[in-house]
Amino acid sequence: MSKSPPWLSIALSNLSFFENNPEYKHEFGHDYIADRCGITRMTLNRNKKYMAEYKRVREVLRGFKSEGKKTSTDYEETLKEKVKKIDELKADKAELKLRLNDCYQILEDHGIDPQFIYPTKMKKHKEA
């Protein structure tokens, strides 16, 4: 079994730093890590363990979008938007429950057991 080169631990710790601090993704790259380790990019590219970790961290950073600094008013506005969206969804849910209860009533009017057709945990119209 071959011994890991001394620069590998430095390179992997740099990769973990970028993974844990994605706001610095603009500095992420082989050049940055090669400068910190005192080696060339080609040396980095030849190491399979480093390259596998580099590709994984690169995918993590691609999914991160920096939004810049937010103020407390930005957070309050976001919270208000989320609360408004939740209220809309609750209203939609209540409307859909009423429609489902109407469907149950129509089925019972035609002599069909609604639990046979819609075997769900929702209450029948009589209980709602």
Side-chain angles (χ1 to χ4, degrees):
M1 184 169 163
S2 66
K3 186 177 177 185
S4 297
W7 57 263
L8 184 60
S9 62
I10 298 169
L12 294 177
S13 66
N14 280 322
L15 289 174
S16 67
F17 170 79
F18 283 112
E19 182 180 13
N20 296 329
N21 301 296
E23 60 271 13
Y24 296 108
K25 82 176 202 174
H26 62 279
E27 295 180 19
F28 179 72
H30 291 298
D31 292 330
Y32 176 87
I33 296 170
D35 289 343
R36 298 289 181 264
C37 297
I39 56 174
T40 64
R41 284 184 62 177
M42 289 307 299
T43 305
L44 288 174
N45 288 335
R46 282 187 289 242
N47 189 292
K48 291 179 183 176
K49 185 175 182 181
Y50 167 80
M51 284 306 294
E53 185 69 11
Y54 178 84
K55 288 176 184 175
R56 188 185 66 76
V57 172
R58 183 180 61 195
E59 290 303 316
V60 168
L61 292 178
R62 280 188 181 161
F64 177 77
K65 294 182 180 177
S66 69
E67 300 173 358
K69 293 186 177 182
K70 286 192 167 186
T71 62
S72 61
T73 55
D74 292 336
Y75 287 116
E76 290 173 4
E77 290 175 8
T78 304
L79 179 63
K80 287 178 184 176
E81 290 173 7
K82 301 267 185 203
V83 168
K84 183 179 176 184
K85 181 71 174 173
I86 289 171
D87 291 340
E88 290 173 2
L89 291 173
K90 284 181 181 178
D92 289 346
K93 181 181 174 185
E95 183 180 327
L96 291 172
K97 275 188 177 182
L98 289 175
R99 289 179 66 191
L100 180 64
N101 289 335
D102 290 342
C103 292
Y104 279 143
Q105 182 63 48
I106 291 170
L107 287 171
E108 283 187 356
D109 290 346
H110 289 286
I112 301 171
D113 182 22
Q115 291 300 322
F116 177 72
I117 294 177
Y118 299 111
T120 65
K121 295 180 180 179
M122 296 193 80
K123 296 179 180 179
K124 284 188 169 183
H125 70 282
K126 293 178 184 176
E127 299 169 4

